[in-house]
Amino acid sequence: MQALAETTGGNAADIPLDQLDVSEVQLYAQDSWRTPFARLRREAPVHFLSESPHGPFWSVTTHELITYVESHPEIFSSDFKYGGISIVDLYMQNFLSSDRPRHTEQRKVVAPAFSPSELLRMGAAIRKRTSERLDAIAIGETFDWVDNVSVELTTQMLAILFDFPWEDRRQLTEWSHWSRNVEAARDPEMSKVRDAHMHAMTTYFNGVWAEKKNQAPGTDLISRMAHSEAMGDLTWEEKLGNLALLIVGGNDTTRNSMSGMILAFNQFPEQWAKLRADPSLLDNAVPEIVRWQTPVLSMRRTCVENTELGGQQIKKGQKVVMWYISGNRDETVFEEPDRLIVDRENARQHVSFGFGIHRCLGSRLAELQIRILLEEMIRRRMVVELASEPVRPATLAGHGFETMPVRIRID
Ligand code: HEM
């Protein structure tokens, strides 16, 4: 444990700067990432690590530089042919891992599924399901918030979005787990298991895709893609990649926000009291929760020409990782960044949804889901108390929780 403590958390100040590795997964499993990132922001906001399990990479850690990288997609590419958007090279083909013009064409196909009128329609279904879920919980008994609330609600939403058979919806949770499992993708044995799950997912969706193509165009995501010019005839790999993008995008991220907010309100109970007393703060509280939790740790780009960033020379072909979790704790932008403050004035400036041409397509839907959950909790006068410490996964694939034992009391 000694070695671990030295590479993580409190002792980060003692490690030579050129060896500081923020891709060490124990930082996230042990929740000890704040100190190393604060040091990088202060001493080396564009930082090179020459050796890591993911090869050499640059870390970008300030809010300003992260938005700069996102604003220059012609220099910092997302394309899967260079390894895509994950610190671990994945070569998964989808529109997140594409540059213009392909990205623009495909994003256009999917975007109408998140229009205000669609959100209104989905909102009614989300509220009904959220209410049913909360009403099914036994007050005063200890249960896992992650599985019973966060996972269940986001999986239900995905089933609505995909028009997926209701009784099979937990398949989506399983596929999401394996798609985002970047550590398994690197391990020769585990990658076989992952491939088998990905194969099952594609076989299943190939059937649904073919069915939808033969029917009149509908408003669900698969139908929109199947009937479009830009996405109607995707290769096997592209179908797999885009489905995985939508499933992971819609599942784990919102789930982690729904769990993160419970932890935050336990650490800052006065903020829950403030929100309950004035629900008009919800408009601001939701983005503040998404900032505080930062459900996606980072996104990666590949530099396609020699360039300068924050005074450092980045070479063509090098990996550049934007650590959103650090950008959201940048003390030059957010006062007391480690605190959840439901009426923080600039909460919306967070980078949890990215920035620029790839900014999250599902952000409004995610905010709607979180908001409805909070509204229904407030309506029921619920106070959700941690029963024991949450367990965090050792992964770079997201920033969240395995389990979070809680008890609800009505107050
Ligand atoms: C709190 C919840 C969420 C967070 C934190 C989140 C975060 C992100 C991030 C960081 C990106 C990449 C941005 C970039 O590279 O600049 C992204 C892209 C994307 N997200 Fe989300 N997301 C969330 C919810 C959702 C939901 C509910 C969906 C839909 C089902 C979704 C679908 C997508 C899609 C399709 C993209 C690709 C956009 C593009 O490349 O143009 N996300 N998201």
Side-chain angles (χ1 to χ4, degrees):
M1 284 309 283
Q2 185 58 27
L4 189 65
E6 279 171 14
T7 54
T8 60
N11 293 333
D14 304 336
I15 303 170
L17 191 59
D18 62 355
Q19 288 168 31
L20 193 58
D21 182 3
V22 284
S23 74
E24 161 60 60
V25 288
Q26 289 306 327
L27 288 175
Y28 309 102
Q30 298 183 355
D31 198 33
S32 54
W33 46 271
R34 290 169 191 78
T35 311
F37 278 118
R39 181 171 174 208
L40 286 188
R41 284 194 302 275
R42 206 171 46 240
E43 296 179 27
V46 179
H47 170 265
F48 189 64
L49 186 68
S50 57
E51 275 178 46
S52 91
H54 325 291
F57 67 92
W58 290 93
S59 282
V60 182
T61 49
T62 61
H63 190 278
E64 187 187 355
L65 290 167
I66 290 170
T67 51
Y68 178 88
V69 171
E70 296 254 28
S71 308
H72 292 82
E74 68 291 353
I75 302 176
F76 301 101
S77 166
S78 298
D79 205 295
F80 70 90
K81 67 175 181 268
Y82 305 119
I85 46 79
S86 164
I87 183 169
V88 180
D89 292 331
L90 271 186
Y91 303 102
M92 193 177 257
Q93 299 189 32
N94 57 41
F95 67 92
L96 176 58
S97 302
S98 301
D99 294 333
R100 293 170 291 190
R102 179 196 199 75
H103 164 256
T104 322
E105 286 159 12
Q106 296 195 351
R107 183 174 164 117
K108 246 191 249 163
V109 172
V110 179
F114 303 95
S115 68
S117 60
E118 280 301 291
L119 289 189
L120 203 64
R121 188 179 65 81
M122 284 189 280
I126 291 169
R127 188 173 304 277
K128 177 169 176 286
R129 302 288 180 185
T130 304
S131 297
E132 286 168 0
R133 187 86 289 270
L134 290 180
D135 289 339
I137 292 169
I139 304 302
E141 281 182 22
T142 301
F143 68 97
D144 178 19
W145 181 268
V146 173
D147 192 53
N148 285 276
V149 179
S150 310
V151 171
E152 188 51 30
L153 291 183
T154 43
T155 304
Q156 289 184 358
M157 185 281 298
L158 215 52
I160 296 169
L161 199 61
F162 276 119
D163 190 22
F164 196 84
W166 198 250
E167 59 289 356
D168 295 341
R169 65 185 184 280
R170 279 279 171 148
Q171 282 282 359
L172 293 168
T173 317
E174 186 75 358
W175 291 333
S176 173
H177 168 80
W178 284 103
S179 305
R180 74 182 156 89
N181 197 332
V182 289
E183 283 78 18
R186 267 199 306 130
D187 178 291
E189 278 310 306
M190 291 303 282
S191 77
K192 284 189 203 141
V193 182
R194 181 176 183 269
D195 286 350
H197 282 282
M198 295 296 86
H199 195 270
M201 177 178 103
T202 317
T203 308
Y204 186 97
F205 274 109
N206 262 335
V208 182
W209 190 287
E211 219 172 274
K212 301 260 179 196
K213 207 168 175 153
N214 288 330
Q215 294 166 358
T219 53
D220 65 273
L221 270 178
I222 311 275
S223 183
R224 282 179 199 276
M225 291 194 277
H227 283 277
S228 73
E229 205 174 302
M231 296 181 92
D233 295 309
L234 297 181
T235 60
W236 195 90
E237 286 84 2
E238 281 182 299
K239 259 187 217 168
L240 171 83
N242 279 298
L243 291 165
L245 163 63
L246 291 160
I247 291 174
V248 177
N251 204 336
D252 295 45
T253 51
T254 316
R255 170 211 296 196
N256 292 340
S257 310
M258 287 176 168
S259 305
M261 73 188 197
I262 298 301
L263 179 63
F265 286 129
N266 271 265
Q267 285 179 10
F268 309 105
E270 77 289 353
Q271 298 296 316
W272 182 235
K274 204 195 291 181
L275 188 61
R276 290 176 68 178
D278 181 5
S280 74
L281 293 175
L282 276 164
D283 276 347
N284 206 72
V286 172
E288 172 64 354
I289 287 166
V290 177
R291 179 197 71 84
W292 189 85
Q293 178 56 31
T294 316
V296 177
L297 288 171
S298 65
M299 283 275 161
R300 164 264 180 100
R301 301 290 186 258
T302 308
C303 195
V304 293
E305 58 186 64
N306 293 345
T307 193
E308 191 192 305
L309 181 68
Q312 301 291 331
Q313 300 301 321
I314 317 253
K315 293 207 179 70
K316 181 178 171 175
Q318 287 185 322
K319 232 184 239 192
V320 177
V321 181
M322 303 173 285
W323 294 96
Y324 298 138
I325 193 160
S326 176
N328 282 339
R329 291 297 194 276
D330 188 333
E331 39 291 276
T332 66
V333 177
F334 302 107
E335 222 171 282
E336 294 194 87
D338 289 330
R339 296 185 66 82
L340 179 95
I341 302 175
V342 290
D343 49 359
R344 182 187 289 284
E345 270 182 14
N346 63 351
R348 281 205 175 270
Q349 269 187 39
H350 71 72
V351 284
S352 293
F353 290 129
F355 187 82
I357 63 168
H358 287 282
R359 189 176 189 279
C360 178
L361 202 46
S363 60
R364 297 271 171 211
L365 178 58
E367 289 181 343
L368 180 69
Q369 281 183 275
I370 299 164
R371 185 190 174 103
I372 289 176
L373 175 57
L374 287 166
E375 282 173 354
E376 294 304 321
M377 286 165 62
I378 292 172
R379 196 195 308 278
R380 287 167 179 71
R381 305 193 58 80
M382 285 180 164
V383 178
V384 185
E385 292 172 330
L386 285 190
S388 53
E389 278 302 300
V391 175
R392 298 174 168 85
T395 180
L396 294 175
H399 181 224
F401 308 89
E402 301 273 12
T403 56
M404 186 178 286
V406 299
R407 262 186 309 269
I408 293 184
R409 72 183 160 81
I410 304 298
D411 180 15

